Amino acid sequence: TLVHAHISMKGSFWRKGVFIELAGLFGVPVIGHLHGSDFEGFVINLPAWLRRIVKMRLEGMAVILVLGESWRRFVLSVAPAARVVVLPNSVPIPAMQAAHAERDVIELLFLGIVGHRKGVYDLLQAFSIVQSHRPNLRLTIAGNGEIEKARLSAAALGILDFVTFSGWIDGEAKNKLLEHSDIYVLPSYNEGLPVSILEAMSWGLPVISTDVGAIAELVRHDVDGLIVAAGAPDQLAKALLQLANSRELRLRMGKSGRQRVAATFSEDVVLPRLEWLYDDVQVGVYSRSK
């Protein structure tokens, strides 16, 4: 009765187009759900004739779901007649939260693909600056990708003994890391709405991230965490020091972030909205003629 197509950029957009066009031939409404972290760059760099195809495809679907208001504005700039609805990512709210124990060591955590796009090398550079002032800091980088390259970078910066590369983790191992961390850091260059930030906030961790994608719509600067410019290790180092120097600030921001996710980004809040949208699409509230 409907097709819900999860769409990223590049090959994903064109592959999902096959199902979208087939659905159209059979009169089945399509919900297109945009997740691509650099969908904007993908579209902007297309030749004009391909951008016209993107426009027609976006406007031909019953609804386009985007992760934040900034993404809604961009889609409408490309396809003014598209029916765009903001639906954020969601996470379950764990019964437990980060321990924030009073201890000598302060644990920093990164979860994601290890590489340039997620800002890992900026993080290592910033950490090397901060670690010289606060030798009690430890950094865990959990994820796959350019692990060996990042390890060599940490060694060149003289911080390898203070950085743990744990590889890809999930499930209970990830929960244990979140529970025993003090600060979550994700200095990405482009994003949609990172689930890892939602997870960190749901565990009561203050967040340091960048003003890209819909992150600033989630993490309120000086309330739930700190927002810095992408590609600015000095700003990142300053933010790390600010949170490392104040347990009270970490607790306050962590509590605020957990409350925010529970109220707006939890599965209990977001998934019913998706169910209502399914109902509306199937009865024609969002149709090609409207």
Side-chain angles (χ1 to χ4, degrees):
T1 55
L2 66 83
V3 170
H4 185 161
H6 294 270
I7 304 167
S8 186
M9 61 269 189
K10 299 180 181 178
S12 171
F13 185 85
W14 304 119
R15 287 194 303 273
K16 304 303 169 59
V18 175
F19 297 98
I20 292 166
E21 295 304 320
L22 281 171
L25 289 174
F26 285 90
V28 177
V30 177
I31 297 173
H33 204 153
L34 294 182
H35 296 280
S37 58
D38 195 23
F39 186 76
E40 181 175 350
F42 159 66
V43 174
I44 289 173
N45 290 317
L46 290 174
W49 67 275
L50 281 178
R51 286 200 299 273
R52 286 193 292 272
I53 294 176
V54 170
K55 176 180 182 294
M56 288 188 295
R57 185 161 292 164
L58 293 174
E59 292 182 343
M61 288 184 267
V63 175
I64 302 295
L65 292 180
V66 295
L67 301 177
E69 183 61 30
S70 60
W71 286 102
R72 188 187 73 86
R73 291 193 297 269
F74 174 72
V75 170
L76 289 175
S77 73
V78 174
R83 292 153 294 279
V84 186
V85 174
V86 175
L87 187 79
N89 286 330
S90 63
V91 293
I93 305 300
M96 299 176 62
Q97 55 185 308
H100 290 296
E102 291 194 60
R103 55 179 182 262
D104 292 334
V105 174
I106 297 173
E107 298 285 352
L108 314 179
L109 177 63
F110 167 95
L111 297 170
I113 301 297
V114 179
H116 171 77
R117 185 177 73 80
K118 293 285 188 178
V120 167
Y121 302 109
D122 293 337
L123 175 56
L124 291 173
Q125 188 175 340
F127 182 73
S128 70
I129 297 170
V130 175
Q131 214 276 329
S132 64
H133 298 282
R134 293 295 301 266
N136 64 328
L137 296 184
R138 299 294 181 271
L139 170 62
T140 297
I141 294 179
N144 55 13
E146 300 174 356
I147 296 176
E148 190 54 36
K149 182 178 177 181
R151 194 189 306 275
L152 290 172
S153 178
L157 290 165
I159 56 172
L160 186 57
D161 291 341
F162 307 99
V163 181
T164 299
F165 293 92
S166 63
W168 184 260
I169 61 165
D170 56 15
E172 190 57 32
K174 180 173 67 174
N175 290 339
K176 284 189 177 297
L177 271 182
L178 288 162
E179 180 185 354
H180 296 289
S181 295
D182 298 293
I183 302 168
Y184 183 74
V185 192
L186 186 72
S188 297
Y189 282 76
N190 51 62
E191 287 285 358
L193 184 67
V195 171
S196 68
I197 289 183
L198 288 167
E199 289 176 329
M201 292 172 70
S202 76
W203 277 88
L205 292 179
V207 171
I208 300 173
S209 193
T210 49
D211 186 11
V212 298
I215 290 176
E217 298 172 38
L218 167 62
V219 181
R220 297 166 296 183
H221 182 67
D222 279 337
V223 178
D224 313 302
L226 299 172
I227 299 294
V228 301
D234 289 343
Q235 285 187 32
L236 183 56
K238 183 178 178 181
L240 287 170
L241 269 177
Q242 184 177 345
L243 284 182
N245 287 336
S246 175
R247 181 171 181 268
E248 186 278 330
L249 184 61
R250 296 196 299 272
L251 289 171
R252 175 171 61 78
M253 288 184 170
K255 180 180 179 181
S256 175
R258 182 174 163 94
Q259 291 173 342
R260 176 162 174 74
V261 169
T264 309
F265 300 92
S266 69
E267 290 182 344
D268 291 341
V269 173
V270 175
L271 294 186
R273 290 179 56 197
L274 182 59
E275 292 175 0
W276 299 332
L277 184 68
Y278 280 176
D279 291 340
D280 288 345
V281 167
Q282 290 177 92
V283 300
V285 172
Y286 295 93
S287 69
R288 288 174 183 265
S289 62
K290 292 186 178 182

